[in-house]
Amino acid sequence: MPGTTHLLKLSAGTESVDSLIDWQGTRRAHGDDGLPRHVTRMWPRREEEVLNGGSIYWVIKGLIQCRQRILRFDPVTGQDGINRCALVLDPELIRTAAAPKRAFQGWRYLLPADAPPDLPRTRANEEPLPPELAGVLAQIGVL
């Protein structure tokens, strides 16, 4: 049985976890099955490890702020005829402890040991800190 690994992805144009939730609530973000998805050009080579309990960790405003469980990968063909990979996601977004992350292109693998912990459910609905403050506090190890 393979181990588990996660994916790390920038959520381009997203201002907050709430705006990611809003985007994923739109019809455009869903497949025919009603589940949110994110389409990417590359198919993960470590597919079995990701599908063994992996999540996509979203980087918003320079901080890892939340994650979603990855349910499956679906092949999709774009309007340009190019084959792509749709990451089919659990609709539940789980807030995580803020962790700074520099910008990068595409997605990256994230080992479970390097993933920030989930926030306790009692803190998940708290008003988030401003991204700049959360980033500084995470850098010095307070968050």
Side-chain angles (χ1 to χ4, degrees):
M1 178 82 138
T4 299
T5 195
H6 305 293
L7 298 181
L8 182 65
K9 177 82 175 86
L10 294 180
S11 185
T14 303
E15 296 296 317
S16 66
V17 174
D18 289 335
S19 68
L20 179 59
I21 291 169
D22 291 345
W23 159 250
Q24 288 189 359
T26 67
R27 183 180 169 113
R28 186 171 174 218
H30 289 192
D32 293 338
D33 58 7
L35 293 171
R37 59 193 59 232
H38 177 78
V39 178
T40 183
R41 290 187 320 185
M42 303 301 292
W43 197 282
R45 290 186 180 143
R46 296 167 66 180
E47 176 179 3
E48 287 183 53
E49 292 174 62
V50 174
L51 294 178
N52 188 32
S55 293
I56 185 167
Y57 281 75
W58 292 107
V59 179
I60 301 169
K61 294 289 188 182
L63 297 168
I64 300 172
Q65 296 189 41
C66 63
R67 70 175 181 91
Q68 284 176 282
R69 215 166 43 88
I70 298 173
L71 302 177
R72 68 178 188 272
F73 300 121
D74 287 349
V76 294
T77 303
Q79 292 178 345
D80 55 7
I82 296 174
N83 293 327
R84 293 181 168 85
C85 177
L87 311 175
V88 180
L89 308 171
D90 187 310
E92 180 185 18
L93 272 99
I94 300 164
R95 293 179 190 261
T96 64
K101 195 68 180 170
R102 293 183 189 266
F104 57 92
Q105 291 186 351
W107 49 263
R108 301 285 183 265
Y109 291 111
L110 179 66
L111 296 175
D114 298 330
D118 294 348
L119 285 181
R121 295 229 182 248
T122 56
R123 291 194 52 212
N125 293 325
E126 287 180 1
E127 187 67 30
L129 295 172
E132 300 80 19
L133 177 59
V136 170
L137 292 175
Q139 284 178 343
I140 62 173
V142 174
L143 290 181

